Every structure is written in C-alpha cells, then in structure tokens.
Amino acid sequence: MTDAERRWSLEESVLVDADRTTLYGLVSDLRNMGRWSPECRGVWVRRPPVRTGTRFVGFNRRGPFLWFTTGRVTKARPGEEFVFDVGVLGLPIARWGYRFDAEEGGTRVTETWRDLRTGRGGGLASLLGTVFAGTNPERRIAVNREGMRTTLARLAAQAATVRSAG
C-alpha cells in the first residue's frame, strides 16, 4: 500500500440520550478510556481534571501486544470538543478527538482519528505500530473503526447509567 492509497483519518458517531455537558465530562476524564476502549487498559493523569496542555500516559493491550503511549490534550472546550495527541518514544502517532453536537433526542458524539505517522519519523512510527500494537498500516483503519464503534457504544451505555442514577 502506498501513502497515496492509505487512509489517514476516520470518524464514527453515535446519538446518545444525554446532554453535551455530561458526555464531555465523561470523555474528558481520560481515566474512563480504559473502561470503554478495546485497546486502552488505563490512563494515568498526574493532576486531574484535564485541560488543554495536560499530559498523560496510556497503557494499551490487544491480544499478546502490550504498549504505552504518551499524550497531551490539545483542545478542551467543555460541552463542545475534546482532542488529544498520542505518541510513542517521542514520535507522533495519532490525534484522537470527540465532538458533541446537540440533536433532537440527545447529543451526537463523533469520535475522530487522524494518523500522525507522516513526514520525518513516519516510517519508524508505522513500524513501531506494527511491532508493538500488532497493526500494520493496511489493517489500521478496520481495527480503529471497530474500536471506535465499541468505545462509543460503551460511552453511550455509561451515559445511560449516569442519567438513570441522577
């Protein structure tokens, strides 16, 4: 697969019966990612709550593959948008984001992913993704799409629990 054929971004969305503020609060508490994501097993944040510039460490696993990422929150706009970049060994890997749009019946949550393995170091970062995470560039879109759908479904389920408890 050439870089011209490679998909560099993806988005998935779900309509959730919850308000934007509640959903933003769940997503921006990065420690929740270990509950929802099929890859992320946990996130360590030195000083919650997170805001733009907050750094964190993610611990990930898929099958026999274990790896960690370092991250930094790049946008934290309550009720609107939450975005963070992740990398490995100082190399940029991906930008993940969540948008929250009010719709009839709740909030449309859109999860976005952009591959940052470009330019200088991009080849090494892609190789590390294959070695440590077990996903080569050809499979990345399918793996991420499935993971995003799972993450959003689990977020929606937790939002329903929060709503019924409130």
Side-chain angles (χ1 to χ4, degrees):
M1 170 183 293
T2 68
D3 280 353
E5 297 168 319
R6 186 170 165 184
R7 294 248 346 242
W8 295 92
S9 63
L10 182 64
E11 72 176 43
E12 290 289 329
S13 68
V14 65
L15 183 61
V16 180
D17 184 15
D19 64 84
R20 296 177 343 159
T21 303
T22 298
L23 290 162
Y24 177 89
L26 290 170
V27 168
S28 66
D29 183 349
L30 287 168
R31 298 168 300 181
N32 284 323
M33 290 299 167
R35 294 183 195 139
W36 306 327
S37 169
E39 285 187 0
C40 180
R41 294 299 180 249
V43 173
W44 178 77
V45 178
R46 185 174 185 178
R47 288 187 207 114
V50 300
R51 57 186 60 84
T52 300
T54 296
R55 295 188 180 276
F56 60 93
V57 177
F59 302 94
N60 307 287
R61 180 179 188 163
R62 184 174 48 262
F65 299 96
L66 299 167
W67 71 99
F68 75 93
T69 55
T70 55
R72 186 176 69 81
V73 176
T74 60
K75 288 184 187 175
R77 298 187 343 219
E80 295 178 28
E81 185 176 29
F82 186 75
V83 180
F84 55 90
D85 289 353
V86 295
V88 171
L89 304 174
L91 296 169
I93 300 297
R95 173 167 295 141
W96 292 92
Y98 295 84
R99 287 189 320 268
F100 308 92
D101 298 303
E103 282 190 18
E104 187 174 329
T107 300
R108 174 139 324 260
V109 181
T110 302
E111 183 177 10
T112 61
W113 168 82
R114 175 167 296 287
D115 196 334
L116 299 180
R117 291 170 263 233
T118 62
R120 190 169 178 230
L124 177 58
S126 288
L127 176 63
L128 290 173
T130 301
V131 171
F132 290 114
T135 305
N136 61 29
E138 292 80 17
R139 291 189 55 243
R140 191 165 290 119
I141 288 293
V143 168
N144 283 357
R145 176 175 283 120
E146 180 182 325
M148 292 164 82
R149 289 176 177 169
T150 298
T151 298
L152 290 170
R154 290 174 179 172
L155 167 63
Q158 185 166 356
T161 301
V162 169
R163 191 179 66 253
S164 67

